[in-house]
Amino acid sequence: MNLNVTGHHVEVTPAIRDYVTDKLGRVTRHFDHVIDVNVILAVEKLVQKAEVNVHVSGKDIFVKSEDADMYAAIDSLVDKLDRQIVKHKEMNGGPNRGSGGKHQQIAE
């Protein structure tokens, strides 16, 4: 997984970079086919913004979060991203994919 963390009007310190890396490790626990991750951290007046664009096999997933605290914005961002990744995983290769889904009838 290639991880790129950039900042707009904010310095990306090693502490913030490590925090983002640690939190994004949760995403790879659910879905290990992540190719590329771009994180943008920005500050506009009193609003801390965090955006992520995740390139997985077959799809790009974009998530955006805003909060008064940068760490809270990152936490919210990872929660939203985790839900999107799990949804993508279920839609494209879940355990019942191609076998009739939930309403499969068993022949006796």
Side-chain angles (χ1 to χ4, degrees):
M1 172 177 83
N2 295 328
L3 176 63
N4 185 16
V5 181
T6 58
H8 291 180
H9 303 292
V10 65
E11 181 181 348
V12 179
T13 62
I16 291 177
R17 184 178 302 276
D18 290 342
Y19 190 75
V20 169
T21 304
D22 184 46
K23 290 293 183 174
L24 287 176
R26 189 170 100 185
V27 172
T28 58
R29 188 175 69 220
H30 288 292
F31 191 72
D32 59 349
H33 299 297
V34 175
I35 299 168
D36 193 25
V37 178
N38 294 317
V39 179
I40 300 172
L41 306 174
V43 176
E44 291 184 10
K45 296 188 180 182
L46 298 176
V47 178
Q48 312 288 325
K49 295 182 178 183
E51 300 177 356
V52 66
N53 194 359
V54 178
H55 180 70
V56 296
S57 56
K59 186 175 183 179
D60 284 340
I61 298 172
F62 178 78
V63 179
K64 183 180 193 180
S65 178
E66 298 179 357
D67 205 293
D69 179 41
M70 182 60 77
Y71 289 98
I74 293 169
D75 288 341
S76 174
L77 178 84
V78 172
D79 289 340
K80 290 178 183 180
L81 180 62
D82 195 34
R83 285 192 300 268
Q84 290 288 329
I85 291 287
V86 169
K87 182 178 175 182
H88 173 72
K89 183 179 176 181
E90 288 173 356
M91 296 293 284
N92 297 320
N96 294 326
R97 185 73 177 169
S99 63
K102 296 179 182 177
H103 302 291
Q104 180 181 4
Q105 293 181 350
I106 300 172
E108 294 183 19

